[in-house]
Amino acid sequence: MSTHASPSDRKAELAELLEVALDAARSAGALLRDGRPADLGVAATKSSPIDVVTEMDIAAEKLITTGIARVRPDDGFLGEEGASREGTSGVRWVIDPLDGTVNYLYGLPSWAVSIAAEKDGEVVVGVVEAPMRGETYQAVLGGGALVNGAPTRRRPAPELSHALVGTGFGYLTERRAAQAEVVRALLPQVRDIRRGGSAAIDLVDVGCGRLDAYYERGLNPWDLAAGDLFAREAGLLTGGRPGERASGDLVVAAPTGLFEPLQQRLEDLGAWHD
C-alpha cells in the first residue's frame, strides 16, 4: 500500500478491493456452475467438450474483468485467458477464472474461481470461490483468512511421517515424469499424498486443515496468488526453494515445524526442476 495512506484509508481500500473480488468471484462461479452442460463430459456434439470448457473459461474471465473495470476503471489485469492491462492505479488483478478445468470437464466438484488484488506488486486481497463446495475463501493482508465469513482453523504441524500432503502435476510429459519420481520418493515418508486438481483449492485446504501441507512445481501467478495469501493469513508458511519465495519453480505451504523438513526434502529430491 502507499506509504502516504493513513491506516484508515488503507483499511477502506482493502475493504473495497475485497468487496470487488467477492462480487466478481461469486458472479463467475455462478456462471460456471449454472452454465455447465449436464452431459459435458460425454457430449457428442460438433465441438469437443474441451472447446466448451474453453468457452466457459473465457466467458468467466470476461465477466470478471468487465465487472471490475466498471467499478475500478484504472486498475490493471493479469488473467489466465489472456486479460492483460497495465492500469494506472497501482492495483492489478490476478485472475484464474476456472482453476481445475479437468475437474470441471469431468463433473468433479474441486474447481474454483481465483481472484487476487495486488497493490504496488504485493498481493493484498485474495478470494477463492468454490461453487460446488458452497464455500468462499477470502483473505486480506494482515486481516486473517475466512471461510464463508468464519475464521479458518489450520491443523497443528505433524511430523513429516504423519503429514497428509497435497500436490499437483504439470501437463508436459517431461515434467510429469520428473514429478512422478519426486512422489515415488516422498510417498513412503509421509502419511499419504493427495492430488486434487486445483492449486487454489489445495492451498486453501491447507489453511482449512484439510491437508497438512502442499507443494507443486510449475504454477502460474494466477494459480497461486489468492491461495498463497489465504494460506499465509491462516498462519502457514509459504515459499519455494529454501530462502526463496513461492514461484513457478516450486510452491510449498505448511505450518511451522512441518514446512522446514518438507521444504528440505523437496530440495534434496530436486522437486524444483524437471
Side-chain angles (χ1 to χ4, degrees):
M1 306 295 292
S2 169
T3 54
H4 303 297
S6 70
S8 61
D9 289 343
R10 171 190 165 92
K11 190 172 182 180
E13 181 174 23
L14 291 178
E16 179 190 346
L17 295 175
L18 176 62
E19 201 55 45
V20 171
L22 285 168
D23 286 347
R26 286 170 177 153
S27 296
L31 172 76
L32 291 164
R33 180 193 64 221
D34 300 339
R36 182 188 182 279
D39 61 347
L40 176 58
V42 294
T45 61
K46 61 179 179 180
S47 64
S48 76
I50 300 298
D51 293 336
V52 177
V53 172
T54 301
E55 287 173 14
M56 295 299 293
D57 215 337
I58 293 169
E61 183 165 295
K62 190 171 192 302
L63 182 69
I64 292 166
T65 56
T66 301
I68 292 174
R70 189 179 301 119
V71 293
R72 296 189 57 90
D74 299 325
D75 292 354
F77 292 108
L78 175 66
E80 182 186 27
E81 292 304 318
S84 181
R85 191 175 80 184
E86 283 301 309
T88 57
S89 65
V91 172
R92 183 175 75 159
W93 297 89
V94 184
I95 301 159
D96 191 340
L98 176 52
D99 187 52
T101 50
V102 174
N103 288 342
Y104 184 79
L105 172 64
Y106 277 77
L108 293 167
S110 286
W111 56 268
V113 179
S114 175
I115 301 176
E118 295 175 340
K119 176 71 174 182
D120 301 327
E122 181 178 31
V123 178
V124 294
V125 164
V127 171
V128 176
E129 174 77 8
M132 306 311 291
R133 286 183 166 195
E135 290 183 337
T136 302
Y137 313 86
Q138 65 188 69
V140 173
L141 184 65
L146 305 177
V147 184
N148 287 353
T152 186
R153 297 183 65 182
R154 62 173 177 82
R155 288 179 176 272
E159 296 289 326
L160 181 61
S161 60
H162 289 89
L164 183 62
V165 181
T167 192
F169 308 120
Y171 292 108
L172 300 174
T173 301
E174 297 80 3
R175 175 162 294 173
R176 292 167 73 85
Q179 289 171 326
E181 286 303 305
V182 173
V183 169
R184 183 187 62 78
L186 187 63
L187 182 57
Q189 301 175 5
V190 298
R191 181 190 294 275
D192 210 346
I193 298 282
R194 292 288 180 269
R195 194 275 200 262
S198 163
I201 287 181
D202 284 340
L203 282 162
V204 298
D205 273 353
V206 184
C208 294
R210 293 167 179 163
L211 293 169
D212 291 309
Y214 165 74
Y215 78 93
E216 188 165 349
R217 167 165 167 73
L219 296 186
N220 294 296
W222 46 82
D223 300 315
L224 171 65
D228 178 76
L229 179 64
F230 183 92
R232 287 186 284 114
E233 287 298 323
L236 300 166
L237 296 176
T238 69
R241 299 183 67 186
E244 295 183 7
R245 297 180 64 173
S247 72
D249 287 342
L250 185 66
V251 175
V252 185
T256 305
L258 174 58
F259 179 88
E260 298 85 355
L262 176 60
Q263 183 187 50
Q264 188 57 55
R265 190 72 190 104
L266 293 168
E267 175 73 9
D268 296 342
L269 291 171
W272 44 273
H273 66 80
D274 297 336

